[in-house]
Amino acid sequence: VVAGLGLTGQACVRFLTAQPVKVSAWDTRENLNIPESVNVPVILGEPPAAFWSDVDLLILSPGINPQLAAVQHASQAGVEIIGDVELFARLNDVPAFGITGSNGKTTVTLLLTHILKENGKAVIEAGNVGTPVLDTLSMSLDAIVLELSSFQLETTSSLKLQAGAILNISDDHLDRHGDMQRYLDAKQRIFLHCDTAIVWRGQAETRPTTPVRDIVLY
């Protein structure tokens, strides 16, 4: 099941309908003009109680809060819950770089993409800016530069990165995460399977709290 039919959700539906799996979609909005490109069964509003009984995997769009009651019901029913970035991570074999932080993510993502292109690399920006991550899986690339929000990172567990950075941390999205520690924990997931951490020496919160092979300070 794909949760949310914004641009990310539509990209997930597009990718999954090309795979040998049974796909449906769910959107929290009770009134929604379903995009013509979405040609799978769609549930709107609150799913019925038995909806999750035959579901294996729920892919959350970044705008869907994992603490939402329906998502918790899915978890209690034994459904695995991930996001599109985690699904990408399980299938991707192209070197990837990850950028997160409270401010400046897009600028740095586009700058790194530009630098790599100027050095003759076939590279694309994806994730929170540019191309949906799942769309990159069919491309012939030397590298992918990912802009990653805390909403995207909180549902990842196996994202492998050549290098990753938390640019900075300030109070943000606390209405979603609840408190600063949960927000920090989401950001720190960028370093779970990261070879090199790029760290701003001016803020301790940008340093990895899990082991990485190398740390570069700036």
Side-chain angles (χ1 to χ4, degrees):
V1 173
V2 174
L5 285 174
L7 293 178
T8 297
Q10 292 176 52
C12 289
V13 170
R14 185 167 59 247
F15 175 79
L16 290 169
T17 51
Q19 313 305 318
V21 294
K22 181 181 177 182
V23 184
S24 60
W26 159 55
D27 198 287
T28 57
R29 294 167 287 188
E30 294 184 356
N31 298 300
L32 176 68
N33 290 324
I34 298 171
E36 293 182 1
S37 62
V38 176
N39 56 356
V40 300
V42 177
I43 295 288
L44 297 178
E46 187 70 19
F51 180 70
W52 306 110
S53 61
D54 62 347
V55 175
D56 298 305
L57 184 67
L58 174 61
I59 302 177
L60 292 184
S61 295
I64 304 290
N65 192 332
Q67 301 306 314
L68 201 66
V71 179
Q72 291 299 301
H73 293 158
S75 179
Q76 292 160 11
V79 178
E80 184 181 12
I81 299 169
I82 65 172
D84 69 316
V85 175
E86 174 60 20
L87 180 59
F88 159 85
R90 297 180 184 187
L91 300 171
N92 177 56
D93 58 5
V94 173
F97 301 86
I99 311 294
T100 194
S102 299
N103 296 286
K105 296 186 295 295
T106 300
T107 299
V108 175
T109 299
L110 296 178
L111 177 61
L112 179 55
T113 302
H114 173 75
I115 291 170
L116 291 171
K117 285 181 177 178
E118 287 296 300
N119 280 272
K121 303 298 184 182
V123 62
I124 196 166
E125 66 272 8
N128 204 45
V129 66
T131 303
V133 289
L134 294 174
D135 286 353
T136 69
L137 294 174
S138 61
M139 300 177 181
S140 179
L141 297 167
D142 296 317
I144 301 168
V145 183
L146 300 170
E147 179 185 328
L148 299 166
S149 70
S150 59
F151 298 168
Q152 291 168 313
L153 284 166
E154 68 182 346
T155 52
T156 61
S157 59
S158 57
L159 179 62
K160 295 179 176 62
L161 297 172
Q162 300 291 304
I166 301 175
L167 301 177
N168 48 64
I169 292 290
S170 59
D171 291 356
D172 201 7
H173 301 307
L174 299 190
D175 56 335
R176 164 76 169 259
H177 295 292
D179 58 43
M180 196 65 177
Q181 189 57 55
R182 286 180 59 188
Y183 176 56
L184 288 171
D185 290 345
K187 291 293 193 185
Q188 281 287 333
R189 298 186 77 80
I190 199 170
F191 295 131
L192 286 180
H193 306 283
C194 180
D195 289 341
T196 301
I198 311 298
V199 172
W200 177 32
R201 68 182 72 226
Q203 190 174 30
E205 289 85 353
T206 67
R207 293 175 177 265
T209 56
T210 51
V212 296
R213 189 183 65 189
D214 297 306
I215 295 177
V216 176
L217 299 177
Y218 72 95

